[in-house]
């Protein structure tokens, strides 16, 4: 009984890493199914709504296992917390996950936003009672982005005094 226990002690970390690695692989393969991609988008929508009061929707979702990348089509972001905040609509968003994302971090090697349209109606100042409060104790996770590409941005900023600023066809890499 004693020699068997000494054999199993060094094997425990190896077995744990193998089980965790298999769980990650099974999770990645499960993303190939349409229902799992829709579930993931729904979970992201709930997370953004609960933590940041942002309404999020995406039409079609594609996942490439080899490159660990997502493509979201017909993406829409808006917030109700601040009525004067911009509404963002994009034809396509490509998200290339970083390897740190496999460890649970919100990390991306590259985010590409294609044909985004931003509409921002800036009105009068909000009463202090309606401004959402943020404190340093908020537990909002950091989002790490290696490269951000914006392709063919159309943006419109309007004010209550009929001032209008419009940008069309702007592309940038950060």
């Amino acid at each position: 009984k004693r020699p068997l226990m000494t054999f199993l002690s060094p094997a425990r970390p190896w077995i744990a890493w193998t089980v965790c690695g298999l769980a990650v692989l099974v999770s990645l393969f499960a993303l190939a199914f349409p229902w799992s991609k829709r579930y993931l988008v729904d979970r992201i929508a709930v997370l953004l709504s609960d933590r940041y009061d942002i309404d999020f929707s995406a039409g079609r979702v594609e996942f490439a296992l080899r490159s660990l990348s997502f493509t979201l089509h017909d993406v829409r972001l808006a917030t109700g917390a601040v009525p004067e905040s911009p509404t963002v609509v994009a034809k396509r968003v490509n998200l290339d996950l970083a390897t740190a994302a496999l460890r649970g971090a919100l990390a991306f090697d590259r985010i590409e936003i294609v044909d985004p349209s931003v509409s921002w109606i800036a009105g009068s100042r909000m009463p202090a009672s309606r401004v959402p409060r943020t404190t340093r104790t908020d537990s909002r996770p950091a989002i790490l982005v290696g490269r951000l590409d914006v392709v063919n941005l159309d943006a419109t900023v309007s004010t209550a005094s009929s001032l209008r600023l419009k940008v069309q066809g702007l592309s940038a890499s950060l």
Side-chain angles (χ1 to χ4, degrees):
K1 199 173 193 181
R2 190 81 170 155
L4 180 62
M5 293 305 284
T6 57
F7 173 74
L8 287 178
S9 324
R12 283 186 193 160
W14 181 81
I15 291 170
W17 281 107
T18 302
V19 168
C20 290
L22 287 174
V24 167
L25 283 175
V26 167
S27 299
L28 290 174
F29 280 117
L31 285 172
F33 298 115
W35 59 267
S36 64
K37 290 183 271 191
R38 179 54 40 202
Y39 176 76
L40 179 66
V41 169
D42 291 344
R43 294 302 310 153
I44 291 170
V46 167
L47 175 83
L48 289 173
S49 177
D50 290 348
R51 284 197 179 178
Y52 305 103
D53 197 23
I54 293 175
D55 295 324
F56 167 80
S57 66
R60 193 179 67 193
V61 180
E62 298 170 0
F63 175 69
L65 180 61
R66 291 180 80 178
S67 60
L68 290 178
S69 64
F70 285 93
T71 300
L72 306 173
H73 297 271
D74 304 320
V75 177
R76 184 179 185 289
L77 292 169
T79 182
V82 182
E84 286 111 14
S85 67
T87 299
V88 179
V89 178
K91 181 178 179 182
R92 188 177 75 236
V93 176
N94 298 321
L95 304 167
D96 296 334
L97 295 175
T99 53
L102 296 175
R103 294 187 302 269
L106 283 172
F108 302 94
D109 285 334
R110 180 173 171 254
I111 296 177
E112 180 185 38
I113 306 169
V114 179
D115 293 334
S117 173
V118 178
S119 175
W120 185 8
I121 301 171
S124 60
R125 294 192 173 264
M126 287 179 56
S129 62
R130 292 194 48 196
V131 175
R133 300 283 181 220
T134 58
T135 62
R136 292 184 176 262
T137 59
D138 284 350
S139 61
R140 295 183 179 171
I143 300 173
L144 306 171
V145 179
R147 179 178 169 161
L148 175 65
D149 295 329
V150 178
V151 179
N152 199 23
L153 169 69
D154 288 339
T156 304
V157 178
S158 303
T159 65
S161 63
S162 300
L163 178 66
R164 188 175 192 152
L165 173 67
K166 189 162 184 123
V167 175
Q168 290 182 317
L170 179 69
S171 294
S173 293
L174 305 172

